[in-house]
Amino acid sequence: MPQITVSQFFIMLFLCRSFSFFTIVPGLRESASGSAGLASLVLFVVFSVLIMLPSFLILRRQKGVGLIEFAYQRSQGAGFACATLFALLALSVAIDNVVHFAVFITSAVYPNDSNVIFVVLFTLVALYMVYLGLESTARFSGLALILLLGSLVMIVLSLAREFDTVGLISPFINGVRPVVQGGAVTVNESSELMLVLLFIPYLKGNVKKGFLWWVLGVFALLEGMIFVTLCTVGQYAVTQSYPLYAVAKMARLFYFQRMDAVHMAIWTMIGLIKSALYLFIAQRCLCFLFGAKRKNTILLALGGITILCSLLLAHYFTAYQALYNFTLTGIPLYVAVLLVPVLLILIPGRRRKEDKA
């Protein structure tokens, strides 16, 4: 079984969350903006910790056991159902990520190009990363993190002269609702919370401590980027399809005259890591159902499904938007990290019967 350190894992989750934020489209999500967005991130931290508490309490005595393994301890049927559910959820996130990337590239960067080549190449590279193994992706993530943080520092330095705090107003000027709604939406689209429970068997170290560092790291990143965007482009960002890409296009530092090109390379790396991570866990879930010996066949099947569904959703964008809006309701996330763990703990486990015997 491949294993990585907790630090490596949460670096990958940090990158996954950052990719979703960097390619955000304000028109597709009802979230808090401006100062309300800054305040809503505090609720993101609180909500994330609270919804994960039941799962951590359930698994606290099951060291090294993930949610699917725990389900198989309860019953064969529960394990089968959980493996199927999480395989579908992970695959859906991987497809969403490919579509997100393709639409971003063909609308903001290369508006006259077809998304077919981007979908196919992006998916094939992600599949190859899964084939190389979790350890290789983890090492690649360390490099991506360094490049990401370096590029963000360069953007902040290049835009230092443009800073104006006139846009920093009271976050509650429109009431409390936008702040609460913004915090809820940020949590609802954090599918990485699901991965925490599934990757436990592949991790070495203190998962709970790593999780807390991840939540605080995401909080710091989002707070910092919203602050920079608010103080440089202000409300102009709301009118842009990709606000942070607009900020990157403004950045000029030393001989880097096109910071957006630098960021595109880095964001592509991060997008590949995210897709590979979700395809990896989808493959592992299906290995519970069809056997580990068929893992390469399963991976090829996942790749084919990802390419086909991504091309369809990229073409029928209305359908993609409907699926994305369903994700923002939080139903998939709460089923995965709240409902399933509670149901599993209510099922009499096979281990108990063995102990009595």
Side-chain angles (χ1 to χ4, degrees):
M1 179 182 295
Q3 282 203 324
I4 58 175
T5 66
V6 166
S7 299
Q8 289 175 316
F9 173 65
F10 282 105
I11 284 175
M12 288 192 287
L13 290 198
F14 177 81
L15 294 173
C16 290
R17 195 67 188 86
S18 67
F19 180 79
S20 301
F21 182 68
F22 290 146
T23 55
I24 193 173
V25 182
L28 286 182
R29 65 202 289 270
E30 295 182 5
S31 183
S33 59
S35 297
L38 293 173
S40 69
L41 291 175
V42 177
L43 296 180
F44 158 74
V45 174
V46 176
F47 292 164
S48 297
V49 173
L50 288 178
I51 66 174
M52 292 295 284
L53 280 179
S55 297
F56 281 141
L57 291 174
I58 290 171
L59 299 174
R60 72 184 186 279
R61 296 181 181 178
Q62 306 286 331
K63 293 184 178 180
V65 174
L67 198 60
I68 295 179
E69 290 81 4
F70 180 75
Y72 271 102
Q73 288 181 4
R74 314 311 287 172
S75 74
Q76 189 73 18
F80 180 88
C82 282
T84 303
L85 171 65
F86 284 108
L88 291 174
L89 289 175
L91 178 60
S92 67
V93 177
I95 292 171
D96 172 82
N97 193 62
V98 175
V99 177
H100 201 155
F101 176 80
V103 172
F104 170 58
I105 288 289
T106 55
S107 60
V109 186
Y110 302 109
N112 296 322
D113 289 352
S114 170
N115 53 35
V116 175
I117 187 65
F118 294 107
V119 167
V120 174
L121 289 180
F122 188 86
T123 304
L124 290 178
V125 175
L127 290 174
Y128 182 64
M129 291 173 66
V130 177
Y131 176 78
L132 290 178
L134 186 59
E135 300 92 335
S136 298
T137 305
R139 289 192 293 269
F140 182 60
S141 299
L143 173 62
L145 178 66
I146 294 173
L147 294 176
L148 172 64
L149 296 180
S151 65
L152 292 179
V153 170
M154 293 173 68
I155 278 190
V156 172
L157 291 177
S158 67
L159 296 177
R161 296 180 180 179
E162 307 292 335
F163 268 49
D164 188 348
T165 58
V166 68
L168 296 178
I169 57 178
S170 170
F172 304 105
I173 193 170
N174 294 318
V176 178
R177 182 177 179 179
V179 176
V180 176
Q181 184 180 27
V185 168
T186 306
V187 174
N188 293 349
E189 61 184 1
S190 297
S191 58
E192 296 79 16
L193 295 173
M194 171 184 70
L195 292 185
V196 175
L197 302 177
L198 301 179
F199 266 90
I200 291 177
Y202 312 108
L203 305 180
K204 296 179 290 185
N206 191 324
V207 176
K208 295 178 184 178
K209 183 177 179 180
F211 169 73
L212 291 176
W213 277 111
W214 172 76
V215 171
L216 294 176
V218 171
F219 169 78
L221 172 71
L222 301 190
E223 282 278 352
M225 292 313 300
I226 291 177
F227 178 80
V228 170
T229 303
L230 189 60
C231 293
T232 52
V233 297
Q235 291 301 314
Y236 172 72
V238 181
T239 66
Q240 300 299 299
S241 298
Y242 301 97
L244 291 177
Y245 182 68
V247 172
K249 290 173 68 175
M250 292 173 56
R252 302 286 187 273
L253 188 64
F254 304 127
Y255 56 87
F256 290 100
Q257 295 302 308
R258 288 296 305 272
M259 285 296 296
D260 55 320
V262 175
H263 268 271
M264 272 311 307
I266 297 173
W267 293 350
T268 300
M269 293 170 59
I270 296 174
L272 287 169
I273 291 170
K274 180 175 181 179
S275 291
L277 201 60
Y278 281 95
L279 287 172
F280 172 84
I281 204 63
Q283 179 197 40
R284 292 288 168 173
C285 289
L286 292 178
C287 282
F288 278 99
L289 305 179
F290 303 106
K293 293 182 179 180
R294 296 192 177 102
K295 66 177 184 179
N296 291 333
T297 303
I298 291 171
L299 184 60
L300 289 175
L302 288 173
I305 295 172
T306 300
I307 291 175
L308 178 61
C309 293
S310 297
L311 289 175
L312 289 174
L313 290 175
H315 182 71
Y316 299 102
F317 194 73
T318 303
Y320 170 69
Q321 185 173 355
L323 293 174
Y324 183 68
N325 289 336
F326 176 69
T327 300
L328 292 183
T329 63
I331 294 175
L333 179 69
Y334 297 130
V335 167
V337 302
L338 278 178
L339 181 60
V340 169
V342 171
L343 291 178
L344 288 177
I345 202 62
L346 296 176
I347 299 175
R350 293 186 295 178
R351 176 169 291 185
R352 293 179 182 177
K353 296 179 180 180
E354 293 170 2
D355 291 341
K356 291 180 180 180

